[in-house]
Amino acid sequence: MTNVVIGAGSGMGAATARLLARRGRLIAADRNLEAVEKLAADIGGDVVPLACDVTDQAQIDAVVAEIGELDAIVHAAGISGSMGTGRQILEVNLRGMARMLASVEPLLRPGSVGVLFASMSGHRVPQHQQLNDILDDPLADDFFDAIAGIGIDLDMGHGSYPASKLGVQRMARRLAPAWGAKGARILSVSPGINDTPMNRLDEERNPIMLDFIAAGPLGRRGTPAEVASVVEFLTSDGASFMTGTDILVDGGMVAVIPEDSTGGAIKAS
Ligand SMILES: NC(=O)c1ccc[n+]([C@@H]2O[C@H](COP(=O)([O-])OP(=O)(O)OC[C@H]3O[C@@H](n4cnc5c(N)ncnc54)[C@H](O)[C@@H]3O)[C@@H](O)[C@H]2O)c1
């Protein structure tokens, strides 16, 4: 039995890998091979570090070939609005994840669990039916044309990041029946502002985030361990009746700052 964490090289993926490694064999994959090699050496035990860029189908196939009996797959790999163009963000966060999930599908068996990293920003995208339809077919040939066609700027990250994360939340809901038919469960988890290298970069570029943090009910960032412990639960038998839904782990932020996360890039329609 194997647990898999994609994006295990840093932040919340690394924290999740540390917890799941206690269950036995773990594949820790990341586009940053050095980071997962370091993590594996640090954790010890049966941790297999693998290079995997989720935008490259051959690298995905190489990881899937190593899995064997799939226990849980946690997909944490992602880039934020300050780390790439809109096109790159959608390619990694949504299309890369869709490719990975399609590739592990033949391995699903009773008890397998998938946990997909979304974001609280996905909860704050204005309702837009056409956008939902586009996000629900992320590997379509005309995906980027369709995204651009509704006015999302593919050079800028601010609309694409929340859209990619709404797409992840919808993916967990959409795939639940097919996974359930195999006795498997799939969920998304939506962190709020979490103290990771990604977030530190975002805060440097958008200092207004410090006001959001202060305004949140808990008045602080989450820690990677606080999200990893939720993922550990979701992948355990204790969550055996949970599937097809999103779990918000945001310290109550969406409750107090419910407004548009796209900065007007997506208008309700
Ligand atoms: N930090 C936050 O505040 C926050 C909030 C909400 C959601 N998230 C989401 O949680 C997830 C984890 O974020 P984090 O803050 O721990 O980030 P992080 O930057 O610390 O770690 C992300 C990891 O993903 C890897 N990665 C990036 N692109 C990849 C690719 N193409 N293929 C394979 N690996 C790739 C990176 O190398 C890195 O090791 C992301 O999906 C992120 O969007 C983060």
Side-chain angles (χ1 to χ4, degrees), residues 6-14 29-32 35-36 51-56 59 75-80 83 88 91-93 96-97 116-121 161 164-165 189-200 202-203 209 224 227:
I6 310 292
S10 174
M12 291 180 267
D30 201 287
R31 72 174 173 189
N32 182 345
V36 276
C52 179
D53 185 326
V54 298
T55 64
D56 181 338
Q59 293 187 40
H75 199 295
I79 56 174
S80 74
M83 296 167 92
Q88 287 164 336
E91 191 62 54
V92 174
N93 295 4
M97 185 182 281
L116 318 179
F117 269 71
S119 160
M120 71 169 178
S121 65
Y161 183 79
S164 75
K165 295 305 191 176
V189 66
S190 285
I193 297 176
N194 198 283
D195 191 12
T196 69
M198 172 187 289
N199 180 61
R200 284 192 275 277
D202 288 350
E203 280 181 30
M209 287 176 73
V227 174

Side-chain angles (χ1 to χ4, degrees), residues 56-71:
D56 181 338
Q57 185 64 48
Q59 293 187 40
I60 290 175
D61 292 343
V63 169
V64 173
E66 290 292 323
I67 296 177
E69 273 190 46
L70 178 66
D71 200 351

Side-chain angles (χ1 to χ4, degrees), residues 242-260:
M242 295 182 74
T243 192
T245 192
D246 183 75
I247 310 300
L248 185 57
V249 190
D250 70 336
M253 194 72 84
V254 170
V256 297
I257 309 179
E259 66 261 22
D260 179 6

Side-chain angles (χ1 to χ4, degrees), residues 5 11-21 26 74 117 224 227-229 231-232:
V5 179
M12 291 180 267
T16 302
R18 285 181 189 281
L19 294 184
L20 298 192
L26 177 96
V74 177
F117 269 71
V227 174
S229 63
V231 177
E232 183 184 34

